[in-house]
Amino acid sequence: IDDIYDEELWRAHEMARSRLIRFSRSRLVKQYGRRNAPKAVMEEAESVLDQEVLTIGFARRFATYKRANLLLQDPARLEALLTSETRPVQLIFAGKAHPKDDEGKALIQQLVEFSRNPSVQHRMVFIEDYEINVARHLIQGADIWLNTPRRPFEACGTSGMKAAANGILNVSIMDGWWCEGYTEDRGWRIGNGEDYDDPHYQDAVESQALYNILENDIIP
C-alpha cells in the first residue's frame, strides 16, 4: 500500500464518499415514500448531504451504553458545527435497537427529531433498516468513524475495526479495541480512559471533550 500515491488513495476515497451520499439520498427517499410523505419532502431528501463535506459516520446496535446521543448533549453547539459556513460537517447515523429495548428506540427518536430541524436537515440523516449493505457504504465512504460508548461497557467495538480496515479514521472513547488500536496517526481519542462513578457527569464531561476535539483538531 505504501507504493500507492496519496492522490490515488484520496481520489478512491472521494468516490466512495460520493457513493455513500447518493446511497443515503436513495434510502431516504424510500423511507419517506413508505410513509406517503408530501412531494416537497421527497424532493428535499434527494438533495440532502454534500459530497464535498467532512462526513462522520455512526452505525451500530442502539444500546443505551453506546450513547448515540452524546453529540446531542449541547444541541446549539452541534448545530453550529453542522451549519458552519467555512468548515461544515455532516452526520450519517444508522442502526437498530432491540425490539424490546424502549430506551434504545428513544435514542433513535431523539436523533431523528433533531435531524428534522430545518437548519440541519441537509447535514444530518438517519438511515433506517440497518443491514450489511448500509454498513458497507458507510464504512467505505465516511471520513470519520464515531464511537462513544460509556466506558467500561464496550466489549470490542467491531464497527470501528471495519472502518479502519477501509481506511477510515476513528474518533472514540478509550474502550474496547481502541484501547489497543489507538495511535495519534490513525485517529483521535475522546478523553484519556478515565472511569466515573456518576454516568450523568461522565456524559457531560465526555460530550464536552468530543465537541472540543471536533472543533480544535478533527475538523481543521
Side-chain angles (χ1 to χ4, degrees), residues 11-105:
R11 278 199 301 272
H13 176 67
E14 286 186 314
M15 289 177 61
R17 190 197 309 121
S18 295
R19 282 197 300 270
L20 170 60
I21 302 309
R22 292 195 302 271
F23 174 80
S24 299
R25 290 171 178 171
S26 174
R27 292 288 294 230
L28 283 172
V29 169
K30 291 177 182 177
Q31 287 175 199
Y32 289 128
R34 287 196 297 269
R35 301 187 184 94
N36 293 312
K39 182 180 179 181
V41 173
M42 302 281 280
E43 291 175 348
E44 282 285 326
E46 292 174 352
S47 61
V48 298
L49 306 174
D50 188 320
Q51 296 181 6
E52 305 297 325
V53 168
L54 178 66
T55 303
I56 299 176
F58 182 105
R60 54 182 54 81
R61 182 168 57 91
F62 267 69
T64 50
Y65 80 86
K66 293 180 182 287
R67 297 189 299 180
N69 64 340
L70 194 65
L71 271 174
L72 295 182
Q73 294 287 316
D74 189 338
R77 199 168 176 184
L78 175 57
E79 183 177 346
L81 287 173
L82 295 172
T83 59
S84 168
E85 293 186 4
T86 54
R87 286 172 169 165
V89 180
Q90 57 195 13
L91 291 165
I92 303 178
F93 286 88
K96 290 179 178 178
H98 187 279
K100 294 183 179 180
D101 183 1
D102 291 335
E103 290 182 335
K105 295 175 190 175

Side-chain angles (χ1 to χ4, degrees), residues 65-198:
Y65 80 86
K66 293 180 182 287
R67 297 189 299 180
N69 64 340
L70 194 65
L71 271 174
L72 295 182
Q73 294 287 316
D74 189 338
R77 199 168 176 184
L78 175 57
E79 183 177 346
L81 287 173
L82 295 172
T83 59
S84 168
E85 293 186 4
T86 54
R87 286 172 169 165
V89 180
Q90 57 195 13
L91 291 165
I92 303 178
F93 286 88
K96 290 179 178 178
H98 187 279
K100 294 183 179 180
D101 183 1
D102 291 335
E103 290 182 335
K105 295 175 190 175
L107 292 180
I108 295 175
Q109 189 174 10
Q110 289 177 34
L111 291 170
V112 171
E113 287 177 354
F114 182 84
S115 72
R116 288 175 176 167
N117 184 327
S119 64
V120 302
Q121 63 183 4
H122 278 74
R123 289 278 182 264
M124 178 173 167
V125 300
F126 184 88
I127 306 296
E128 296 176 0
D129 294 331
Y130 185 54
E131 36 80 26
I132 197 167
N133 193 39
V134 176
R136 181 173 69 91
H137 282 83
L138 268 161
I139 62 174
Q140 290 177 358
D143 298 305
I144 303 292
W145 198 257
L146 179 62
N147 187 39
T148 52
R150 181 177 288 114
R151 179 184 165 90
F153 295 105
E154 184 60 83
C156 191
T158 52
S159 69
M161 293 180 182
K162 290 184 290 188
N166 281 268
I168 308 306
L169 295 168
N170 277 268
V171 55
S172 175
I173 298 291
M174 294 297 282
D175 200 9
W177 80 285
W178 199 230
C179 293
E180 300 172 6
Y182 167 75
T183 66
E184 290 184 356
D185 62 350
R186 83 179 52 128
W188 296 267
R189 63 186 180 189
I190 305 165
N192 297 306
E194 303 92 342
D195 291 316
Y196 297 86
D197 295 325
D198 183 342

